[in-house]
């Protein structure tokens, strides 16, 4: 679909299908990646992002400049071919995820996020948007999940169906010395198991060879901050590599 005309606040894209639950590839804007998603309902809404006023004067501070801008917009949707569903991939990535998304997976939610005039830069959805840049803390492409200095912060990725994973990657924000980092975290799974993860001060992703089968969600919690003057640890990306369960 090519939509002619500028978007206004409150506009939505409505993706409808009579074939669900099923896998789809959706592109919500020509300036964004395609999203490989699992739809569990007949109709899924995507609200065109218009963010609050911020110091940068950007209406979409956590999106690539040019996204949803102008008078021509390219939107696509197709059913996934069955062989594609067997592919090894980052099972957590969903560039079209939003805070109140329903029926479209993967989906991420958290119990806290940093607020303020640039709060979209620190929203939970940022950790599954596929963007790994982490050497600054503003603006795009340095969006991340900020925890507002909460010690009880936790974040959950829901897959919407059973998946088999063999690797977890956590990319923490590394805008040192503005940022601090976590030395330890706990990852728990829908099967009732959990593991303690050790991390260090690093720009590179933290890679953990973790195998689980048939899980439907994972949660990161018990985040222990390093003894560092900065009170600002943040998470740039969660990647979960594996395949859909057969």
């Amino acid at each position: 679909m090519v939509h002619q005309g500028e978007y206004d606040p409150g506009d939505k894209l409505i993706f409808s299908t009579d074939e669900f639950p099923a896998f789809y590839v959706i592109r919500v804007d020509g300036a964004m990646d395609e999203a490989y998603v699992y739809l569990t309902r007949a109709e899924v809404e995507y609200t065109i992002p218009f963010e609050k006023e911020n110091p940068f004067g950007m209406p979409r501070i956590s999106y690539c400049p040019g996204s949803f801008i102008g008078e021509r917009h390219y939107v696509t949707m197709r059913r996934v071919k069955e062989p594609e569903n067997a592919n090894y991939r980052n099972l957590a990535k969903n560039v079209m995820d939003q805070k109140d998304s329903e029926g479209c997976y993967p989906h991420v939610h958290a119990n806290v996020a940093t607020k303020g005039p640039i709060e979209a830069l620190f929203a939970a959805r940022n950790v599954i948007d596929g963007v790994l840049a982490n050497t600054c803390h503003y603006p795009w492409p340095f969006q991340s999940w900020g925890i507002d200095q909460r010690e009880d912060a936790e974040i959950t990725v829901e897959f919407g169906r059973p998946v088999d994973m063999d690797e977890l990657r956590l990319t923490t924000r590394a805008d040192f010395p503005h940022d601090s980092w976590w030395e330890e975290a706990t990852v728990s799974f829908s099967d009732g198991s959990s593991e303690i993860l050790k991390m260090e001060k690093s720009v590179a992703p933290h890679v953990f060879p973790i195998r689980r089968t048939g899980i439907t969600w994972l949660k990161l919690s018990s985040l222990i901050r390093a003894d560092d003057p900065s009170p600002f640890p943040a998470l740039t990306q969660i990647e979960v590599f594996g395949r859909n369960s057969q």
Side-chain angles (χ1 to χ4, degrees), residues 1 6 76 102 109 140 166 170 205 236:
M1 180 185 77
E6 293 188 0
T76 66
E102 295 183 4
H109 55 86
W140 183 92
D166 62 16
L170 302 178
T236 295

Side-chain angles (χ1 to χ4, degrees), residues 144-165:
S144 60
W145 173 54
I147 64 171
D148 206 27
Q149 303 182 47
R150 285 265 297 271
E151 294 184 359
D152 64 341
E154 58 183 40
I155 190 166
T156 301
V157 179
E158 297 184 8
F159 302 106
R161 79 283 185 185
V163 300
D164 302 336
M165 64 171 287

